[in-house]
Amino acid sequence: MKIKALNGFKDILPEDVAVWRQVETIAHDVLERYHFAEIRLPILEKTELFARSIGADTDIVEKEMYTFVDKEITMRPEATASLMRAYIQHSMNSARPVQRLFTIGPMFRHERPQKGRLRQFHQLDFEVLGSASARLDAELMSLGAMLFAELGVETSLEINSLGCPECRPAYRRLLLEFIHDRMEHLCDDCKRRSVTNPLRVLDCKKPGCRQQVEDAPSVLEHLCTVCADHFGGVRSGLDQLGVAYSLNKFMVRGLDYYVRTTFEFITDRLGAQSAVGAGGRYDGLIEMLGGPKVPGIGFAVGIERLVLLLRESGQEPVRADEIDLFVAGLGANASDFAFSLVHGLRNNGLRADMDLEVKSLKSQMKQADKAGSRFALIIGDQELESGRAMIRDMGTGEQEEVDLDLETIRRSVEKR
Ligand code: HAM
């Protein structure tokens, strides 16, 4: 029996990698402009780190983590918790008052796989530690908007505020009262959530529950003065930077560490999985994990969802495996010469390849074509003797005779 990859785990094939690289290159470029530095983090962490930061009652921690139970370690379901752990462990607050960090890598959640939802997926994760300014929230969202615009992907931005430990408990009580009267019409998940985290009932995707909470009190109308001022600052910051957004009073997010601003970049082109990027502010998280009193905000973009969107928008990636020159050697001597020549060409910066076995010209030209080579150089005994050979443009079929030395071949390829 053939062994296949696990359900929800995907190979990223060479033609996909071309798109991934395009995404990463543009992301690196935008991130440099916003003064971000990269950090690379381990995939395994203590289970407790996720339980404490994401929240023990969340779906992620309750149902979706890949945990080695006997060792009490877990494959990260997201990057924020790990990044906070690293920030605290390396006292990164003393190096710079404001740290702008990003990380890229795989995350693991045992969810039901569907289009845009995997069990191993990849995130581009951005975190800024050390500023409580509402300007930062707006700036971070402008980064997301710029990234999507430069990738040519259409998304819309939705924002909300979840209040803070000062004002949220009162809102939570109000919401509970509202939910209480409608309890019998809610799904089983929501009935359970109404006990553990009633705000999450607002986030349920089931049409029946949505209908029930349509007129639920809005968190935005029950913020304390500090949170309301902060949210006002975020909105005017977005206006100042020309970032379009809409309010979504139902946006709750599935992680418990958020306070005040939350936001999502959404699309209607990926079916049920509408969020391409999402995040929010988490002041208090670092302190709760035993670190200094440093505020923070961040968001993460799902790379698979981004790649799906790029594909759907018809943007063809450049071929990653394209080469400059395929050298075809006819006969044992020419093939031997080609073997050294290809090495020399690579050493001189050209992307070159050949057939390591001695095959017919027809078969080698077929290979040159499949390799996506721009040019082919054909060498037989006669060419070896004269020291000159034909270089063929694989696109136009035009040919040019060149001396068989590295510099001449390189110039001939590069001048076109
Ligand atoms: P999240 O909303 O759980 O937030 O995930 C962020 C993004 O990761 C989603 O918008 C989506 O694009 C992608 N994503 C999540 N789950 C899957 C999945 N199963 N398959 C494919 N893509 C997925 C967080 O993870 C927070 N740590 C974001 C954050 C950073 N908040 C503050 N800083």
Side-chain angles (χ1 to χ4, degrees):
M1 210 168 69
K2 282 186 200 153
I3 299 172
K4 289 194 173 160
L6 298 171
N7 193 16
F9 288 71
K10 258 190 157 172
D11 300 309
I12 304 158
L13 299 172
E15 56 268 30
D16 301 321
V17 172
V19 194
W20 282 63
R21 282 219 192 157
Q22 187 184 343
V23 168
E24 286 177 23
T25 305
I26 293 177
H28 277 272
D29 187 56
V30 172
L31 284 159
E32 267 175 31
R33 281 181 259 157
Y34 276 83
H35 197 196
F36 274 69
E38 184 173 1
I39 180 166
R40 299 189 184 188
L41 301 160
I43 284 167
L44 284 173
E45 298 273 2
K46 292 207 171 116
T47 305
E48 191 196 347
L49 173 68
F50 302 117
R52 272 171 59 189
S53 50
I54 300 170
D57 296 329
T58 57
D59 283 354
I60 297 180
V61 172
E62 259 189 358
K63 307 192 259 193
E64 296 168 2
M65 294 206 302
Y66 285 88
T67 296
F68 297 85
V69 180
D70 56 335
K71 299 189 174 65
E72 296 179 5
I73 53 178
T74 290
M75 290 166 76
R76 62 180 183 193
E78 57 116 47
T80 312
S82 310
L83 203 143
M84 295 311 117
R85 195 262 315 131
Y87 179 82
I88 298 167
Q89 185 174 337
H90 304 288
S91 307
M92 292 177 84
N93 61 314
S94 50
R96 276 184 192 181
V98 177
Q99 283 279 4
R100 295 159 178 265
L101 300 164
F102 77 96
T103 194
I104 307 181
M107 311 294 154
F108 304 85
R109 294 183 196 175
H110 192 269
E111 293 189 85
R112 203 155 41 80
Q114 54 174 239
K115 182 178 177 186
R117 191 162 73 194
L118 292 147
R119 290 180 171 169
Q120 176 179 336
F121 60 98
H122 295 72
Q123 281 186 345
L124 254 168
D125 181 86
F126 322 96
E127 313 287 352
V128 184
L129 296 323
S131 170
S133 167
R135 277 188 170 162
L136 174 58
D137 307 30
E139 193 190 66
L140 200 60
M141 289 183 240
S142 81
L143 184 162
M146 196 181 287
L147 176 67
F148 294 127
E150 298 204 3
L151 283 163
V153 162
E154 243 179 75
T155 60
S156 41
L157 172 64
E158 293 189 346
I159 68 170
N160 194 17
S161 172
L162 295 180
C164 68
E166 286 295 312
C167 53
R168 203 185 298 165
Y171 172 70
R172 194 176 183 272
R173 278 195 297 277
L174 199 70
L175 187 64
L176 254 179
E177 272 170 37
F178 176 88
I179 293 172
H180 193 260
D181 300 337
R182 291 157 181 83
M183 195 71 91
E184 59 183 301
H185 305 292
L186 298 177
C187 71
D188 287 345
D189 270 347
C190 282
K191 284 188 182 123
R192 195 172 42 82
R193 282 179 195 136
S194 64
V195 182
T196 53
N197 185 357
L199 269 76
R200 289 230 64 205
V201 175
L202 298 176
D203 205 26
C204 184
K205 302 285 181 283
K206 299 208 176 81
C209 298
R210 289 216 140 180
Q211 203 185 347
Q212 289 303 318
V213 299
E214 218 165 45
D215 303 319
S218 165
V219 58
L220 292 175
E221 280 151 26
H222 296 89
L223 298 176
C224 61
T225 322
V226 183
C227 286
D229 285 352
H230 184 89
F231 198 58
V234 175
R235 296 183 65 175
S236 56
L238 287 170
D239 291 340
Q240 195 180 340
L241 302 182
V243 179
Y245 68 90
S246 57
L247 298 181
N248 178 358
K249 65 170 184 172
F250 293 119
M251 189 205 302
V252 172
R253 312 275 303 117
L255 306 98
D256 279 355
Y257 47 61
Y258 294 116
V259 291
R260 302 207 173 112
T261 321
T262 53
F263 57 99
E264 289 187 348
F265 289 95
I266 58 166
T267 171
D268 53 12
R269 301 177 72 165
L270 292 181
Q273 305 310 314
S274 59
V276 192
R281 189 164 268 290
Y282 46 77
D283 303 348
L285 175 62
I286 296 175
E287 220 179 337
M288 192 266 278
L289 291 171
K293 193 172 181 323
V294 172
I297 180 170
F299 78 108
V301 171
I303 303 184
E304 282 82 359
R305 292 189 191 173
L306 203 50
V307 168
L308 272 175
L309 280 179
L310 277 171
R311 281 258 155 85
E312 296 209 348
S313 66
Q315 297 189 48
E316 272 306 303
V318 283
R319 282 187 62 159
D321 57 348
E322 184 182 83
I323 56 169
D324 299 311
L325 187 65
F326 190 94
V327 182
L330 307 176
N333 290 342
S335 182
D336 208 35
F337 179 82
F339 188 52
S340 319
L341 184 68
V342 165
H343 175 71
L345 291 168
R346 288 172 176 161
N347 222 355
N348 267 268
L350 284 193
R351 300 171 298 175
D353 204 356
M354 67 176 287
D355 187 337
L356 296 174
E357 277 142 68
V358 187
K359 293 218 180 106
S360 70
L361 177 63
K362 197 173 156 201
S363 145
Q364 294 197 53
M365 292 315 281
K366 235 190 221 168
Q367 275 197 58
D369 200 39
K370 277 200 177 149
S373 186
R374 294 165 57 218
F375 298 94
L377 183 70
I378 303 156
I379 306 169
D381 287 341
Q382 212 181 322
E383 283 77 12
L384 278 187
E385 211 164 291
S386 66
R388 288 174 71 76
M390 284 297 181
I391 192 162
R392 183 189 295 175
D393 185 319
M394 298 292 285
T396 63
E398 276 171 40
Q399 307 212 82
E400 182 193 21
E401 196 173 33
V402 291
D403 284 343
L404 282 179
D405 74 86
L406 293 173
E407 196 44 37
T408 314
I409 297 170
R410 196 172 60 83
R411 260 189 276 123
S412 168
V413 166
E414 283 178 353
K415 80 176 178 212
R416 297 161 195 246

